[in-house]
């Protein structure tokens, strides 16, 4: 557009470029999902379909934004790690935030019926988002460990809470009986009263979900003597690993390099 006398309004915009040489962590979280989960009768404590829907949205994010190198999700939240050198939207915070949150939300709505074919989406879901910059990969790992510890603490509590409620206690009584209990007390409660071995519960509930680009070997064809010709293909993969200990990172050094 040619310059008009109104052009000056543009000067009021602020520069919100994130600093260079930093990993960018974007965390989104469902707005009022306590109520959203109740309105859509999510299974308690963990609705598997709802978690799988979140995971599919995260897979779409990695496919749509190739600079996202890793994502970690639990409950109604997902964290996305953008590589240190990303120039996505010239690193403008508001662009990165608004486009990724709206993209995630749209995929959530579009894919809803695939995971809940018999449940109508009764209200428009929304997600909040924030960006945080971390100057070193080891801090990004600590960030992810922080989220996974949170996943563990919440899941252990919620598993006990809902076991007690489903066995006839009121929500208040369940809350009371868990007050001040330690991690080992909760494991003991699950085992003694409900014959549940916490460690045997699905890894997705205990560990949350990791989404990353894996290098998988696949057979492309057979050669003239019938031997398989293989090549490495990049594939966006979902897994439920321990990301606090070094094992996963040692096996996938290219993710945060
Ligand atoms: P806010 O808007 O502040 O984020 P919130 O109600 O979304 O509030 P959170 O702390 O984000 O609160 O917690 C999300 C809540 O959503 C959980 O407490 C749980 O009740 C519910 N929830 C999310 N995903 C699931 C799921 N897969 N299965 C069962 N419940 C879920
Ligand atoms: P960016 O991602 O940078 O915003 P863009 O393709 O969205 O790129 P805009 O400058 O926002 O570009 O312009 C929006 C374009 O969308 C218009 O140029 C027009 O082609 C198209 N468009 C939007 N709304 C309508 C509409 N109601 N009818 C016809 N075309 C439309
Ligand atoms: Mg919140
Ligand atoms: Mg929430
Ligand atoms: Mg949450
Ligand atoms: Mg546009």
């Amino acid at each position: 557009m040619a310059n008009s006398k109104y052009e000056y309004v543009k000067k009021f915009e602020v520069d919100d470029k994130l600093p260079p040489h930093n990993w960018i962590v974007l965390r989104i979280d469902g707005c009022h999902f306590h109520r959203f989960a109740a309105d859509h009768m999510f299974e308690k404590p963990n609705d598997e379909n709802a978690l799988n829907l979140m995971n599919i949205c995260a897979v779409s994010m990695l496919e749509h934004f190739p600079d996202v190198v890793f994502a970690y999700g639990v409950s109604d939240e997902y964290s996305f790690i953008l590589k240190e050198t990303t120039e996505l939207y010239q690193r403008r915070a508001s662009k990165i935030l608004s486009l990724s949150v709206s993209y995630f939300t749209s995929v959530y709505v579009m894919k809803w019926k695939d995971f809940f074919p018999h449940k109508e989406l009764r209200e428009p879901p929304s997600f909040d988002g924030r960006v945080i910059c971390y100057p070193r990969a080891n801090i990004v790992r600590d960030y992810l460990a922080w989220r996974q510890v949170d996943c563990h603490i919440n899941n252990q509590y919620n598993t006990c809470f809902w076991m007690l409620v489903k066995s006839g206690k009121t929500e208040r009584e369940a809350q009371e009986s868990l007050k001040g209990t330690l991690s080992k007390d909760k494991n003991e409660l699950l085992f003694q009263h409900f014959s549940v071995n916490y460690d045997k519960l699905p890894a997705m509930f205990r560990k949350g979900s990791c989404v990353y680009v894996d290098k998988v070997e696949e057979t492309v064809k057979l050669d003239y003597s019938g031997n398989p010709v293989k090549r490495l293909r990049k594939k966006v993969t979902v897994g439920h690993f321990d990301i606090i200990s070094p094992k996963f990172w040692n096996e996938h050094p290219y993710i945060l390099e």
Side-chain angles (χ1 to χ4, degrees):
M1 284 298 149
N3 283 337
S4 74
K5 69 170 182 173
Y6 306 115
E7 207 60 23
Y8 80 98
V9 298
K10 192 91 182 111
K11 296 208 177 84
F12 285 64
E13 288 185 13
V14 288
D15 176 10
D16 63 349
K17 270 193 187 159
L18 295 167
H21 306 294
N22 273 265
W23 298 85
I24 299 171
V25 174
L26 161 78
R27 183 169 75 253
I28 67 166
D29 184 284
C31 182
H32 301 325
F33 260 49
H34 187 76
R35 193 190 62 209
F36 184 88
D39 288 353
H40 293 91
M41 290 175 290
F42 280 9
E43 249 172 61
K44 288 295 180 180
N46 290 290
D47 189 294
E48 207 174 325
N49 290 326
L51 293 173
N52 285 328
L53 172 56
M54 291 290 287
N55 292 347
I56 279 293
C57 295
V59 168
S60 295
M61 288 282 286
L62 266 79
E63 288 167 350
H64 189 71
F65 301 105
D67 284 355
V68 174
V69 292
F70 188 79
Y72 176 71
V74 42
S75 178
D76 67 339
E77 74 167 61
Y78 241 104
S79 297
F80 298 94
I81 316 294
L82 284 117
K83 68 180 183 192
E84 197 184 5
T85 54
T86 185
E87 279 303 324
L88 183 65
Y89 307 117
Q90 299 95 53
R91 300 177 76 91
R92 287 163 65 189
S94 55
K95 282 270 188 182
I96 293 175
L97 255 178
S98 56
L99 285 157
S100 48
V101 173
S102 61
Y103 186 80
F104 187 98
T105 309
S106 299
V107 178
Y108 193 96
V109 172
M110 280 183 73
K111 300 274 183 190
W112 173 269
K113 61 179 181 319
D114 295 350
F115 292 86
F116 296 105
H118 307 297
K119 273 184 199 172
E120 188 196 349
L121 186 56
R122 296 159 60 100
E123 54 184 291
S126 58
F127 292 83
D128 70 39
R130 71 194 70 191
V131 279
I132 316 115
C133 286
Y134 292 115
R136 287 189 298 279
N138 69 308
I139 313 180
V140 174
R141 273 186 51 182
D142 285 348
Y143 168 86
L144 292 167
W146 171 56
R147 297 323 302 143
Q148 192 164 52
V149 167
D150 211 58
C151 167
H152 170 71
I153 293 170
N154 289 333
N155 188 59
Q156 207 187 26
Y157 182 91
N158 291 336
T159 304
C160 292
F161 179 86
W162 287 102
M163 280 286 178
L164 291 167
V165 170
K166 286 175 183 176
S167 74
K169 280 197 193 306
T170 65
E171 298 200 1
R172 170 161 291 235
E173 286 165 350
Q175 207 177 344
E176 277 304 314
S177 49
L178 289 172
K179 206 175 250 174
T181 55
L182 304 173
S183 177
K184 65 170 178 15
D185 305 328
K186 294 192 191 74
N187 273 348
E188 202 57 20
L189 171 98
L190 289 174
F191 197 69
Q192 298 300 341
H193 291 264
F194 304 107
S195 308
V196 168
N197 181 345
Y198 185 79
D199 293 334
K200 293 278 188 306
L201 294 176
M204 178 160 70
F205 302 166
R206 290 180 295 110
K207 300 286 178 204
S209 299
C210 304
V211 187
Y212 61 103
V213 177
D214 207 2
K215 294 172 181 170
V216 292
E217 199 176 51
E218 65 172 16
T219 304
V220 274
K221 60 176 181 189
L222 297 179
D223 68 12
Y224 60 90
S225 49
N227 296 318
V229 177
K230 293 183 172 171
R231 67 155 186 223
L232 280 180
R233 194 169 65 90
K234 289 183 172 175
K235 187 173 184 296
V236 179
T237 305
V238 182
H240 316 287
F241 312 108
D242 179 343
I243 50 171
I244 299 173
S245 61
K247 185 171 181 282
F248 174 80
W249 301 107
N250 291 341
E251 287 169 358
H252 304 85
Y254 56 90
I255 293 178
L256 290 181
E257 76 190 354

